[in-house]
Amino acid sequence: LPDQKSLLYKAAIESGLQNEASVEGLVNDYRENLYGNLFLEHYLSSRIALTMDKIREHYIANRASYLRRSNQVRLIQFLTQNEVSAIKIKRTLLQYDAEKRLSLLRKHGVSPVTVSPGDLPQTLDLLLFGSSPARGVLGPEKTSFGYHVLEILDFFPEGSFRGLDEVYDEISQKLYRSHRTVLYDRLLDSLATEYSIAANKKGGA
């Protein structure tokens, strides 16, 4: 059977909708936007090359902006609605078996995150950012969301610097946006000049 879009398209054609001027205008606008965006993305992607050296240079030159303004903790967090399940997760983590741990992470779709005070529910906040740095496997801890089991991977004190590995994506996106803006402006100026000249030549012919 044809898919839903195909069925609706056939019904529209049979109803004569494609002959309406307003619809034709919308189709032309869509075509113009589609081709323009495809050209733009191809033009930019072929001219923006972000190397590791460029990202590292930016990091070193702007290192002060990557200073931690508060204590931070890098962790993995498991959330279940069942306390028995949470206890099993904690026991598995405490076995420090690499294969079982990896299987557990995949099963629950868990990956490391870095959190600051205020990012998590208050109960967990107090647990992580109390008078002494949190360590090891913590929980189960109950909140309104369910039962949490946390494994602390790293503690980063206020005043330390975020590593390049932490800010790599942030820097690469920032540099890409910066290059994109410059190239985009230059491209528009170039096209405006080119097509203005072409129009003038046609007008004078």
Side-chain angles (χ1 to χ4, degrees):
L1 286 175
D3 62 27
Q4 184 179 3
K5 285 190 290 186
S6 297
L7 292 172
L8 291 173
Y9 174 72
K10 288 179 179 178
I13 295 301
E14 288 183 7
S15 71
L17 190 61
Q18 82 277 16
N19 296 321
E20 292 191 12
S22 60
V23 174
E24 187 64 26
L26 289 173
V27 170
N28 287 334
D29 285 345
Y30 176 78
R31 184 182 294 112
E32 185 177 301
N33 287 332
L34 177 62
Y35 285 144
N37 286 331
L38 286 172
F39 170 79
L40 178 62
E41 290 310 315
H42 175 74
Y43 178 89
L44 294 175
S45 63
S46 65
R47 286 163 175 78
I48 299 177
L50 296 178
T51 64
M52 188 64 199
D53 286 341
K54 287 181 180 178
I55 292 172
R56 188 181 291 108
E57 286 172 10
H58 178 88
Y59 174 75
I60 293 171
N62 298 275
R63 194 160 182 253
S65 64
Y66 301 112
L67 190 72
R68 299 183 199 277
R69 307 299 178 188
S70 67
N71 291 337
Q72 291 186 315
V73 172
R74 185 167 174 79
L75 54 79
I76 54 174
Q77 177 183 195
F78 297 85
L79 175 62
T80 74
Q81 300 304 310
N82 184 296
E83 186 177 13
V84 174
S85 174
I87 292 171
K88 287 181 179 177
I89 290 172
K90 182 174 183 178
R91 285 176 179 167
T92 301
L93 291 174
L94 289 173
Q95 290 177 25
Y96 297 103
D97 183 302
E99 286 189 13
K100 289 182 179 179
R101 187 174 184 278
L102 184 59
S103 175
L104 193 65
L105 293 174
R106 286 175 176 167
K107 179 181 177 182
H108 292 269
V110 172
S111 57
V113 295
T114 300
V115 298
S116 304
D119 288 347
L120 297 175
Q122 187 177 17
T123 304
L124 302 181
D125 228 28
L126 293 172
L127 190 66
L128 295 173
F129 301 104
S131 55
S132 58
R135 301 181 187 281
V137 180
L138 309 175
E141 197 71 32
K142 191 175 187 305
T143 71
S144 58
F145 298 99
Y147 294 90
H148 304 256
V149 176
L150 313 170
E151 182 179 9
I152 310 304
L153 304 177
D154 284 297
F155 177 83
F156 306 111
E158 178 182 356
S160 60
F161 289 94
R162 295 162 65 198
L164 179 56
D165 59 325
E166 290 180 72
V167 297
Y168 179 89
D169 289 341
E170 180 182 329
I171 293 175
S172 60
Q173 289 171 17
K174 183 176 182 178
L175 291 178
Y176 180 84
R177 287 193 299 269
S178 176
H179 288 308
R180 190 184 193 281
T181 299
V182 172
L183 284 173
Y184 181 68
D185 290 342
R186 287 178 183 170
L187 174 63
L188 290 185
D189 289 342
S190 172
L191 292 177
T193 301
E194 179 182 345
Y195 292 120
S196 174
I197 293 172
N200 289 336
K201 284 182 178 179
K202 286 182 180 179

